[in-house]
């Protein structure tokens, strides 16, 4: 265990672990948001989901796409597309012996940008708010990558 | 290599590695299921895929969305949305020096819940079967997270 | 830090890190490709995105699905579905003390197959080009898995 303890003593890795956990929990929140909008707006993808809201033809009308639900789903997918590279590149960056304060700045920028992206997408805010969140999060990974 | 050998000697990490591999292979199976339903139900997304099933107008009619195919695709995306956080949070949890039997219980619960979610989605079973699979897998990660 | 330095001295892990970074950057390129096609073909998913291209009814007509955009999005999702398992299984494989040249061969096969998959999907090339890229990338992970 001695070696693992040393991994847990590595401050850049621990900073990565903290921010990775924060952004993963934020991403998991998108599932709850989708479920919330599906229930309140009665817009389901599967007959077995709408069954408790009515029978026969009545249930069928709840099998529909809803703007608000699709918006959350796009935001969720965009999260996946951006957080997966962060988990890989951020981990390698944190293990490459970066300057600690630079590393924390990178992780904060990424996490902040993705939270801003989500807020811009769900409200929604006019462009280029969401684009800004996207590009800061996108570019931040490119910068991390250039360090190792 | 001494240090890596020690990582591989860490029982909680090895348990995580085992269950992560199982659930990733299960997720990869979803690609095969999609391909299977696309072929047997002749429902394709790309003209080059349906080309071998006919020519001209005949091929075009196979460019369509099919309930069964879309169901597998939703189950696959739901897997991605839930297994990516598990890979991150489960890894950090396994490195945080957890009690081994508690860790194994967490990993088994998550993997079992996701397999149950897939079965409920594909058969499909009436709700709340799939919801149960989802929430146990979802909550299990929140619990793991609370340990570190 | 001694132990982490040893991780960074592990050649199989470093090879994995290199190829994982390459394929993650390739996947991130898909976001740029989607944005490019959405702008040049004026096909948006959100009203706030099309707002700068016209007002009122004029903006609404740009809220549409476009074949080329949907093609890139499917390729991107297929990347996610295949690269996520690679990150997990490839990492564990690289830590399991594999023969270095075999490991590099595996990583190159996977990365090469996925790049070929993307090219086949976006041009597109007739089948079975894309299927070949898919199955080589898919099978390569199964082989890596069988080594540990």
């Amino acid at each position: 265990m001695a070696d693992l303890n040393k991994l847990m003593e590595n401050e850049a890795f621990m900073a990565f672990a903290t921010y990775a956990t924060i952004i993963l929990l934020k991403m998991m929140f998108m599932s709850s948001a989708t479920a919330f909008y599906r229930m309140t707006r009665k817009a389901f993808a599967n007959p077995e989901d709408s069954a408790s809201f009515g029978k026969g033809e009545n249930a069928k009308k709840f099998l529909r796409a809803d703007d608000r639900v699709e918006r959350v789903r796009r935001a969720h997918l965009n999260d996946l597309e951006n957080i997966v590279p962060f988990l890989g590149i951020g981990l390698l960056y944190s293990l490459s012996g970066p300057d600690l304060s630079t590393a924390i700045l990178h992780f904060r920028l990424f996490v902040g940008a993705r939270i801003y992206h989500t807020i811009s997408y769900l409200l929604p805010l006019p462009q280029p708010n969401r684009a800004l969140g996207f590009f800061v999060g996108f570019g931040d990974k490119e910068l991390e990558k250039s360090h190792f």
Side-chain angles (χ1 to χ4, degrees), chain A residues 7 10 12-13 89-99 103 107 143-148:
Chain A
L7 187 59
N10 182 287
F13 176 78
I89 292 173
L91 173 66
L92 297 172
Y93 169 62
S94 80
L95 293 179
S96 69
D99 175 63
F107 300 151
L143 283 178
E144 284 178 25
K145 192 243 131 205
S146 69
H147 283 298
F148 61 81

Side-chain angles (χ1 to χ4, degrees), chain A residues 6 19 30 34 42 45 50-53 60 63 73 76 85 88 91 107 111 117 120-124 131 134 136 142:
Chain A
K6 280 193 186 138
Y19 288 101
M30 303 308 272
T34 304
K42 297 204 175 64
S50 62
S52 55
F53 290 89
K60 263 189 198 164
L63 286 179
R73 294 182 70 214
H76 199 165
L91 173 66
F107 300 151
V111 168
H117 181 273
S120 310
Y121 217 150
L122 297 195
L123 285 181
F134 178 82
V136 171
E142 300 281 350

Side-chain angles (χ1 to χ4, degrees), chain A residues 2 6 11-12 21-22 24 27 38 50 55 60 66 68 70 85 87 98 127 131 136 138 145:
Chain A
K6 280 193 186 138
E11 290 179 305
T21 304
I22 292 171
L24 284 171
M27 190 175 87
R38 281 202 186 283
S50 62
K55 282 182 187 167
K60 263 189 198 164
D66 174 88
R68 177 64 42 177
E70 295 309 308
L87 295 180
Q127 289 286 25
V136 171
F138 193 88
K145 192 243 131 205

Side-chain angles (χ1 to χ4, degrees), chain A residues 73-95:
Chain A
R73 294 182 70 214
R74 287 195 296 274
H76 199 165
L77 185 56
N78 195 281
D79 263 355
L80 261 179
E81 292 168 355
N82 284 278
I83 292 172
V84 165
F86 173 73
L87 295 180
I89 292 173
L91 173 66
L92 297 172
Y93 169 62
S94 80
L95 293 179

Side-chain angles (χ1 to χ4, degrees), chain A residues 99-110:
Chain A
D99 175 63
L100 180 61
S101 57
T102 311
I104 289 175
L105 184 67
H106 274 307
F107 300 151
R108 281 187 184 161
L109 256 179
F110 178 77

Side-chain angles (χ1 to χ4, degrees), chain A residues 111-121 125 128-130 132-133:
Chain A
V111 168
R114 292 307 306 176
I115 291 173
Y116 190 67
H117 181 273
T118 301
I119 294 169
S120 310
Y121 217 150
L125 297 177
N129 280 290
R130 191 180 93 232
L132 183 71

